[in-house]
Amino acid sequence: MIATSILLPICLCTALAMNGVGASGKSDALKIQSLTVDGKQVSLQGGQSKSLGLFPESVSFGFGSTTNSGQKAVRIRYKLEGYDVNWHEGLGEMYVMIRFFNDAGDQIAENRYKVNGESMGWNGSLTTSPLAHRRETIVVPRQASRFWAVISSGGPPATVGIYVVANLVVSKSSGNSASVELIHSPFDQRLNNGFTNQTPPGWMPDGNHSSMAKIVDFGQHPQTKAFAILDEDPISHAEWHMIKETAPAVTPGDNMVVEWDEMYSIGMGDFLEARYEKLPVGHFLFRVSGVDVMGNPTGEETSLAVLVPQPFWKTYWFLGAAFSVLTAAMIGSGRYFVWQRMQREMLRLKHQGALEQERLRIAHDIHDDLGARVTQISLVSAMAQDNPTFPEKARADFDRISKMSRELVAALYETVWAVNPENDNLDALGNYICQMVNQLCERTQLRCRFHVLDLPHEVQVSSQTRHNISMAVKEAVHNVIKHARASEVTIRMAFEQGSLTVTVQDDGCGFQPHAGMAGNGLTNMKQRLKNIGGHCLFESKTNHGTTVSMRLFVKPADQCF
């Protein structure tokens, strides 16, 4: 191990000497422009390895094409040798899209199916890279009468790369009727190798750089034609789409199936910074390499050797001596600290158990006693309103009493759910929110979609947290029902790295968040999240719907009592 630790920096320094001085690398077209460690700039002068200091929390490399370079790389990737396994590149995106239009020719909906990075097996060649098959299903939205198929590079503005789409087929079915093919691949003839601007019937190139929409040959024995976007301009995009006059007709509620084969290599044209958090001890070589639009190396490369030194107190001799000194003290004090910790834990569990028993008793009492009595009132008043011997006004009063009783029963059950300690976990919270939103939407014929990732049952949350989150979601859905004039609401829930995110999104009329609004609903939602240590954000544009995002760090339930 000693020999390895000596030889590695020697090899890195030798590599630097062969590449040039400091960050010069193998060519003059690329340059490492800056190195920042924990917010402080590190000088790149000199050819030696750059020390990042002990325990660097954040390391940032700035790089790009040199100003005097005659030809800049279309895409730039980077890799930290000794730490990264693969090269990294910006996540540009391209799409296959289905756009729906009404009878007036207005677009009313769009389904996007994105790709990024490189397709499996991509080797930089259209001849030998394999295609991947993809299949998506769509339900035709209301008011839709026609649709377009679109292939576009209009993702993030700096997206560059190649996206090949072959054998695009769209079919539909309605009820028990047989499937009808609406779009099939227009390519039935073979072409010579290379790119061509020949346009197939019913399609047209578009975008602010439409010449990047190509038709290519791929495969071999035989070769086949396919649509392609060859985007090599970071500030422009191109797309293929159907001609509006030939757009197929559809009926709302039809089931559509979209299938195609694809291969791609996609990056970013302005991805000029690499960040690393908490690098381990060791010698590393930061490399920057240029690639062309197809993802093939151009030969342009530069590199910089960096070092995270080993602190002396982590060396073997120091650790051995410290271990010998501390062992005796730990043996004597270990038992005492363990006993103290066990006592504190037992006392905490005793108090927690007593509190949970009391909460469970209250929940049972509300459910079994008060809930039953209110339910009885609701049933008696419901029977009374159907009694023909009572006056009309009396029966109307009984009807109001019955409705108020049912609302009170629902409120009581919400309280029981919030108080019951058996529900103090994320899984129960997610199930309750889904049921609550589904019931609210059923009353108003509002479509609802749920995207709820697995919420762990073992993560505990307090009743206060559950109550505030559920009430905030309920308020957000009520706002959609009352004010948004929406056709659909989407609920998303996710738990990552101790953070719970709940999003309520609608496709309604939207509003101006800063224009001043009557009512306290938005203020109440913000206050509820603030009370439990979270925050609530609103994003809305007129006629583009509203998104309410709630986020908070979930503390263990025993820290929230």
Side-chain angles (χ1 to χ4, degrees), residues 17 45 51 108 137 191 291 329 437 448 459 466 475 521 540:
Q45 299 298 322
S51 175
I108 60 173
T137 58
L191 293 175
V291 295
V437 173
C448 58
V459 176
R466 292 189 289 109
E475 180 69 29
S540 182

Side-chain angles (χ1 to χ4, degrees), residues 45 52 59 88 169 357 410 515:
Q45 299 298 322
L52 304 181
V59 179
H88 297 286
V169 177
Q357 287 296 325

Side-chain angles (χ1 to χ4, degrees), residues 32 34-42 44 50-63 78 80 83-84 272-282 284-286 304-309:
I32 298 177
S34 64
L35 171 60
T36 305
V37 180
D38 295 335
K40 298 181 180 180
Q41 289 280 346
V42 176
L44 297 180
K50 302 299 177 182
S51 175
L52 304 181
L54 297 177
F55 312 117
E57 293 290 325
S58 175
V59 179
S60 175
F61 298 91
F63 52 89
Y78 70 89
L80 188 61
Y83 184 79
D84 290 328
L272 305 177
E273 184 181 34
R275 296 181 63 88
Y276 293 91
E277 305 293 332
K278 298 182 179 180
L279 285 177
V281 171
F284 307 99
L285 185 66
F286 181 73
L304 175 67
V306 294
L307 164 69
V308 179

Side-chain angles (χ1 to χ4, degrees), residues 340-373:
Q340 286 286 337
R341 185 172 58 185
M342 290 178 61
Q343 292 296 316
R344 289 194 299 269
E345 183 67 14
M346 290 176 63
L347 183 61
R348 186 189 66 81
L349 292 176
K350 181 178 179 180
H351 289 311
Q352 180 178 337
L355 180 59
E356 290 187 354
Q357 287 296 325
E358 183 63 16
R359 288 172 56 196
L360 188 60
R361 183 192 66 78
I362 293 173
H364 287 168
D365 288 349
I366 294 175
H367 183 276
D368 298 338
D369 187 10
L370 188 56
R373 292 176 187 271

Side-chain angles (χ1 to χ4, degrees), residues 396-441:
D397 290 339
F398 278 120
D399 181 49
R400 286 194 298 271
I401 293 173
S402 177
K403 291 180 179 179
M404 293 172 63
S405 301
R406 288 194 297 271
E407 292 174 357
L408 181 56
V409 170
L412 286 174
Y413 286 155
E414 289 178 0
T415 302
V416 169
W417 176 82
V419 172
N420 194 336
E422 295 177 353
N423 298 321
D424 286 349
N425 60 81
L426 283 182
D427 183 53
L429 175 61
N431 291 335
Y432 178 80
I433 288 178
C434 291
Q435 294 175 7
M436 176 185 68
V437 173
N438 193 50
Q439 291 174 358
L440 293 174
C441 293

Side-chain angles (χ1 to χ4, degrees), residues 317-336:
W317 66 266
F318 183 86
L319 291 176
F323 179 78
S324 300
V325 172
L326 294 176
T327 298
M330 291 176 60
I331 293 175
S333 59
R335 287 181 174 271
Y336 175 77

